Amino acid sequence: MTRALLAATFCIAFSAASDSFFSHHAALDDGGKFVVRWRPEKEFVTFRCEVQTAGWLGFGFSTNGAMAGADMVIVWIDSSGTPHISDRHGPEKGNGFPEEDASQEYRLIECTRNETHMIAMFIRNLTTCDSNDWTITSDTTRLLWAMSDEVPQSSSAIKQHTSRGVRSAHLLFPQSKTRFGDLMNNPNTSFLDFQLENVKIPHDRQTHYWCQIIELPKKEKHHIVGSQMLVTPGNERYVHHFIVYSCGTKNMSEYIGRAQGCFDDIKSFNPMEQCDNVMAGWAVGGEEFVYPEDLGAPIFGGDERFVMLEMHYDNSQLHKNIVDNSTFRLLLTSDLRAIETGRLTIGLPVSAQILVIPPHQKRFTIYSYCPGECTQRLLEPMKIFTGVLHTHLLGAAIKVRVIRNGVEQRPMMKDDHYDFNYQNPILLLDPTEVYPGDDIIVECTYDTAQRDKAAYGGYSTSEEMCLALMEYYPKRQTSEEFCGSFIQPMEMLKLLGANESDIIMGDFHGITPTYIRNSRGENVTLTEWYESEVAWNDDSARRLQEFMRSSHHSVKCGLKSQSNTTEGPYSINNGTQISAVYIEDNQCLLNNRSEKIAAIEENYSNGSKTATDEKNPYNHLRMNTNAGSMVNAVLLVVAFLVLLTTQIADYCH
């Protein structure tokens, strides 16, 4: 047990771990009957489950929310009042009651029960090196929960749950919503509500974008310091995202009171082309967001008068008579923060011409590059402190990579267990710096294993995107900045089997459709051709994957230079060259190294020095085993106790 773990154990045991000890919390069920609080540390996490049950509670981790391969812990208090904790794992396939692990990795700190609730506190290392255990990382984690009012007779006689569920969370990233109440109660905080009024969600199509122009109140400059989405109760399943776009200096007064669908099959709502600077936003699953105390995004006090509200509705079941009055709330302050923030989006423009994903692929990756020629326009490092990673339903993983002089840095953001229904902003504990000349890569990985038809880019939830929407400081420009690359559509279509003479290329965004002559001599749309004409198999998928990664990419560089121009165009061939890939420390390998060191020490203490010891790479780590080292040992013990006391004080603070 490490010094930090000992300190935390002592602290929790003596302080009974008040709510203020925990930095994170979540209600895992809609009724608030299963609440979990946690506090992540460098090597472990302390959890406290508060559950409305008289029997047992179950808590665990899963890749996709299923029991197969899940890591579970079950806690109960038996009839004699003795608490029990059992480390378990789900079956390899399908559902089934979790079996007990051979190695028990949870440390129970406290377990109590009153008339209504059971409260259990326990500690779990981030990495246990047990193949049956989940490694706790910064990725999205599906938290499993279960409960029963029947007290188990033993660890082998636990009856099935009476209720269960799953909810996604970020276990290690800071949780800004814990500061939301304090911000709401701050006398310097004011609200700006953007409310939609009686929007009728269509029932004749799945996807609907609603746009509305409003005029901002005339006020002195404020800073946006937080946000909250207030979805009309019962409409949670229909609301996909809400974005506030600034219209800059453009006069949009003619559109006031003319809210309508943003676009249809043949035209776009005109202001969409003029109001394209993201001011604030929310996506499905997003929680309350609070800016760090020294940061704020500017609003008011400039030349901008109008903003456009965009709401994306998804009515997959085509339900009728759904009316929405949801509100997006900005929390503002006139007490301006020290540092202003800006916005940067990196990724792929939304188009079926450049994003297509073959069917029956467990993992297929799309790449978008922001080359050093573009970031060279930065005059100082750009510090990324928060962001949202965005794909649609097929997204399985997203990573934003930073390459400096050919050497990959720690990923800016990554999520190997992406959950479309949990697009909560990632608040970085340590902002990632992007220096002039850095290369940035956005990689979006999709899972089409269960699909029989290809997927492609588009605005519908059933279509796909690949974007990383980030905020940085210090703010550089008055408008949002963009950087990304995309393949050559004509070359991709030829790779997939089309003859150039059979292609009638439309515009990039599909307002003018692309047509391709099919095998029967008929002109079909691009998406119809993807679905019915391409011979999709593992070989064509492999060739397309390599094309997406290393073919010629055109670059859209929207980073403004000092002269406020957008020079270019830029292009990139054969991807970004990486001489050294970033590799996360493997704690289990490090543990094995420690075991080897311990074995060497044991050999020396037993006087079993071998001929190869002189060249042993661990020689510098040998402990002094001479009799005269007793004083050193005593001093080490005293130093350990002092450090432990200090650590306890830090944890209990």
Side-chain angles (χ1 to χ4, degrees):
M1 187 181 294
T2 65
R3 175 171 58 83
L5 189 54
L6 276 169
T9 303
F10 291 152
C11 175
I12 296 170
F14 289 126
S15 69
S18 63
D19 289 355
S20 61
F21 173 83
F22 295 97
S23 55
H24 298 62
H25 71 277
L28 300 190
D29 67 312
D30 293 335
K33 295 182 178 181
F34 199 120
V35 174
V36 60
R37 304 180 191 275
W38 69 97
R39 174 170 168 153
E41 307 292 352
K42 183 178 180 180
E43 298 177 2
F44 61 92
V45 181
T46 305
F47 293 98
R48 185 174 80 183
C49 296
E50 305 163 6
V51 185
Q52 189 173 323
T53 182
W56 60 263
L57 67 88
F59 174 75
F61 318 108
S62 170
T63 300
N64 54 15
M67 277 301 298
D71 178 11
M72 295 289 297
V73 62
I74 294 179
V75 184
W76 73 96
I77 300 175
D78 65 22
S79 56
S80 68
T82 302
H84 299 266
I85 188 166
S86 177
D87 186 358
R88 294 172 171 261
H89 62 275
E92 290 187 10
K93 295 181 180 180
N95 293 317
F97 200 78
E99 296 181 13
E100 195 163 41
D101 288 8
S103 176
Q104 295 292 299
E105 302 293 345
Y106 289 84
R107 296 175 176 87
L108 185 62
I109 303 299
E110 182 184 39
C111 186
T112 61
R113 186 175 59 204
N114 57 30
E115 294 181 355
T116 60
H117 284 72
M118 178 185 295
I119 300 176
M121 273 188 294
F122 45 85
I123 289 178
R124 226 304 294 272
N125 283 339
L126 301 183
T127 303
T128 68
C129 304
D130 182 342
S131 60
N132 289 320
D133 287 343
W134 174 272
T135 299
I136 298 174
T137 69
S138 60
D139 298 335
T140 297
T141 300
R142 275 74 165 180
L143 299 179
L144 302 179
W145 64 269
M147 66 174 85
S148 171
D149 282 330
E150 191 158 345
V151 178
Q153 298 302 309
S154 68
S155 61
S156 60
I158 303 176
K159 293 193 175 180
Q160 192 173 8
H161 56 75
T162 53
S163 56
R164 68 175 297 273
V166 59
R167 180 150 295 180
S168 289
H170 293 143
L171 290 177
L172 301 186
F173 287 123
Q175 194 176 61
S176 72
K177 72 176 183 180
T178 57
R179 297 185 288 116
F180 189 78
D182 292 339
L183 186 61
M184 289 279 288
N185 296 326
N186 189 316
N188 291 326
T189 301
S190 59
F191 307 141
L192 177 60
D193 286 351
F194 298 111
Q195 182 175 13
L196 302 178
E197 297 182 358
N198 299 319
V199 178
K200 296 180 180 179
I201 302 177
H203 61 268
D204 59 347
R205 56 188 180 276
Q206 175 180 343
T207 296
H208 182 61
Y209 281 75
W210 181 258
C211 283
Q212 178 178 340
I213 297 291
I214 67 168
E215 186 170 6
L216 292 173
K218 296 180 180 179
K219 292 185 177 182
E220 63 181 4
K221 186 177 184 178
H222 283 58
H223 278 166
I224 302 171
V225 292
S227 61
Q228 179 186 29
M229 187 67 195
L230 303 170
V231 178
T232 299
N235 283 3
E236 292 81 4
R237 65 188 300 178
Y238 306 109
V239 176
H240 175 280
H241 76 238
F242 188 103
I243 300 177
V244 181
Y245 293 94
S246 168
C247 301
T249 59
K250 303 177 183 71
N251 185 352
M252 312 300 291
S253 55
E254 64 177 296
Y255 296 100
I256 297 294
R258 294 171 54 188
Q260 58 185 280
C262 302
F263 53 81
D264 55 27
D265 293 337
I266 59 173
K267 64 179 180 179
S268 296
F269 181 40
N270 182 262
M272 286 191 70
E273 300 175 1
Q274 304 178 60
C275 307
D276 57 0
N277 177 28
V278 176
M279 176 182 291
W282 169 92
V284 58
E287 301 170 348
E288 296 90 348
F289 181 76
V290 177
Y291 281 75
E293 293 183 355
D294 57 344
L295 303 181
I299 189 174
F300 307 143
D303 295 329
E304 59 184 9
R305 290 176 52 196
F306 300 92
V307 296
M308 183 181 77
L309 313 182
E310 176 192 279
M311 176 71 96
H312 175 185
Y313 294 106
D314 182 66
N315 186 4
S316 58
Q317 302 299 313
L318 304 181
H319 292 153
K320 298 181 179 180
N321 303 318
I322 307 300
V323 178
D324 189 56
N325 291 279
S326 295
T327 298
F328 182 59
R329 170 171 291 173
L330 295 181
L331 277 62
L332 313 177
T333 181
S334 58
D335 186 10
L336 300 182
R337 301 287 178 84
I339 304 172
E340 290 190 343
T341 65
R343 287 184 174 269
L344 169 68
T345 297
I346 303 178
L348 216 60
V350 181
S351 174
Q353 287 187 358
I354 58 175
L355 197 166
V356 60
I357 309 163
H360 303 302
Q361 301 300 306
K362 185 62 180 176
R363 294 181 73 85
F364 187 90
T365 302
I366 298 291
Y367 301 83
S368 185
Y369 301 99
C370 178
E373 292 88 344
C374 185
T375 64
Q376 193 64 50
R377 299 178 181 184
L378 300 175
L379 300 180
E380 60 181 333
M382 178 183 281
K383 299 180 180 180
I384 308 294
F385 71 96
T386 187
V388 174
L389 303 177
H390 183 69
T391 73
H392 284 175
L393 295 171
L394 298 176
I398 311 178
K399 180 186 291 186
V400 184
R401 306 171 69 183
V402 179
I403 316 300
R404 185 168 302 142
N405 299 321
V407 178
E408 183 175 11
Q409 310 298 299
R410 186 182 183 89
M412 183 186 300
M413 294 180 189
K414 77 173 187 67
D415 193 342
D416 289 334
H417 303 292
Y418 177 79
D419 182 357
F420 167 80
N421 290 306
Y422 186 68
Q423 297 183 49
N424 195 43
I426 295 171
L427 184 62
L428 298 177
L429 186 62
D430 297 310
T432 297
E433 291 188 320
V434 176
Y435 284 81
D438 283 355
D439 295 282
I440 307 174
I441 310 171
V442 175
E443 299 178 357
C444 296
T445 300
Y446 305 88
D447 182 353
T448 61
Q450 304 303 315
R451 283 180 65 97
D452 294 326
K453 294 184 177 181
Y456 37 80
Y459 290 95
S460 170
T461 306
S462 60
E463 297 168 330
E464 276 304 331
M465 295 184 180
C466 176
L467 295 167
L469 304 99
M470 297 172 289
E471 284 193 71
Y472 69 89
Y473 67 89
K475 184 176 177 64
R476 291 168 14 89
Q477 302 291 334
T478 57
S479 61
E480 177 194 23
E481 298 179 273
F482 178 87
C483 185
S485 72
F486 48 91
I487 52 88
Q488 306 304 298
M490 183 67 75
E491 297 305 311
M492 181 184 71
L493 295 179
K494 291 192 293 184
L495 176 76
L496 295 177
N499 295 317
E500 187 169 349
S501 59
D502 292 334
I503 301 172
I504 305 173
M505 191 67 74
D507 70 86
F508 194 73
H509 295 290
I511 304 302
T512 302
T514 294
Y515 290 98
I516 303 177
R517 186 176 295 111
N518 67 11
S519 55
R520 297 182 297 277
E522 305 165 332
N523 285 337
V524 297
T525 64
L526 176 63
T527 56
E528 290 173 335
W529 186 80
Y530 284 149
E531 293 179 349
S532 62
E533 293 295 315
V534 179
W536 294 114
N537 51 49
D538 287 345
D539 182 61
S540 60
R542 178 190 55 76
R543 287 186 286 109
L544 181 61
Q545 177 68 97
E546 180 60 22
F547 179 86
M548 290 292 186
R549 187 191 69 80
S550 61
S551 69
H552 179 87
H553 278 232
S554 296
V555 176
K556 182 178 181 181
C557 180
L559 297 181
K560 303 297 189 298
S561 66
Q562 189 173 14
S563 60
N564 203 34
T565 61
T566 51
E567 302 92 342
Y570 302 123
S571 62
I572 188 170
N573 290 287
N574 200 31
T576 296
Q577 301 305 303
I578 305 174
S579 59
V581 176
Y582 179 85
I583 300 176
E584 292 277 0
D585 287 339
N586 187 318
Q587 192 61 47
C588 297
L589 292 179
L590 293 177
N591 289 346
N592 289 338
R593 179 176 180 272
S594 298
E595 291 173 4
K596 291 178 181 178
I597 295 172
I600 293 169
E601 300 299 347
E602 184 177 0
N603 285 339
Y604 269 88
S605 64
N606 293 332
S608 56
K609 182 175 179 180
T610 65
T612 59
D613 286 332
E614 295 298 338
K615 298 180 180 179
N616 196 293
Y618 301 116
N619 280 345
H620 66 287
L621 294 174
R622 292 177 182 146
M623 295 177 63
N624 186 348
T625 58
N626 294 331
S629 65
M630 183 61 71
V631 174
N632 290 337
V634 172
L635 290 175
L636 284 172
V637 171
V638 172
F640 172 80
L641 291 175
V642 170
L643 288 171
L644 180 59
T645 303
T646 303
Q647 189 76 29
I648 292 173
D650 291 341
Y651 275 89
C652 296
H653 178 68

